[in-house]
Amino acid sequence: RSVRCGKMAEAEADTWLFDSVLGFFKSPDWALPVMGFIDDNCVIFDDEDENKFAYTEVYDAFKEMVESLLQMFLEDMGVSVEQFTTVCEKAGHTNTGREALEAILAVEDYVSFKKMMVKRNCELEYEAMKMLQALSEQIAAEHSVKAEPPAGSEVA
């Protein structure tokens, strides 16, 4: 009986750990540095098939940052990387486990990383173009207002 209770407690601890990690992935502590990194570094990524050396450098830096964020989170939780790895190996067959593993393993997928960076670069370029167009329209509107004579004045 105590073996079964021990396994249940261990399974609950595993679920708690995965729920905590998933919560961390959705938190500002994760999202802000990750999105900041993406925004700061996506400008070099273009839609060409060629994989430039600079892409690899950025990808390696991204993986380091993600590993560091996860490691700090685990340390704050009082869980070692080894303990987390063991839990991952055991829980890969559960829905919660798979979801956490997919989020972690996505970092190891260079092709997905490059697609994400190219997409974000395109989004930022589009936003910049919209802002420039709005600014251009605003300037044109201001010039047309200044070019019109004031109301009630006559041109001789």
Side-chain angles (χ1 to χ4, degrees):
R1 184 162 202 230
S2 65
V3 169
R4 196 170 74 196
C5 289
K7 286 187 179 196
M8 285 175 57
E10 189 176 317
E12 286 177 15
D14 292 354
T15 301
W16 170 82
L17 178 58
F18 274 116
D19 287 346
S20 298
V21 170
L22 291 174
F24 174 64
F25 287 155
K26 296 172 185 172
S27 77
D29 292 336
W30 171 266
L32 292 176
V34 169
M35 291 309 299
F37 182 95
I38 291 168
D39 284 354
D40 291 346
N41 292 281
C42 71
V43 70
I44 66 166
F45 287 80
D46 53 39
D47 208 7
E48 296 176 12
D49 287 335
E50 179 186 354
N51 288 315
K52 300 173 183 158
F53 181 70
Y55 296 178
T56 306
E57 290 178 326
V58 171
Y59 177 60
D60 289 342
F62 180 74
K63 288 193 313 184
E64 265 183 47
M65 181 200 62
V66 165
E67 289 169 6
S68 175
L69 287 171
L70 185 57
Q71 190 170 3
M72 285 189 298
F73 174 74
L74 292 174
E75 286 173 7
D76 288 349
M77 300 290 290
V79 176
S80 72
V81 173
E82 292 77 21
Q83 288 171 302
F84 182 67
T85 303
T86 302
V87 170
C88 286
E89 289 169 357
K90 286 192 280 183
H93 62 277
T94 67
N95 286 338
T96 306
R98 255 192 310 280
E99 188 177 343
L101 286 173
E102 285 172 9
I104 295 165
L105 293 175
V107 172
E108 297 296 324
D109 183 2
Y110 173 78
V111 173
S112 294
F113 172 79
K114 183 181 174 192
K115 285 180 184 175
M116 172 185 67
M117 296 299 272
V118 168
K119 178 181 179 214
R120 185 62 181 147
N121 188 19
C122 290
E123 290 170 352
L124 290 177
E125 284 179 3
Y126 178 71
E127 288 174 21
M129 287 173 52
K130 281 186 5 185
M131 289 174 63
L132 284 172
Q133 182 179 3
L135 183 60
S136 175
E137 290 170 0
Q138 179 183 357
I139 290 170
E142 288 174 4
H143 284 323
S144 69
V145 168
K146 287 180 184 175
E148 293 176 10
S153 66
E154 294 179 29
V155 177

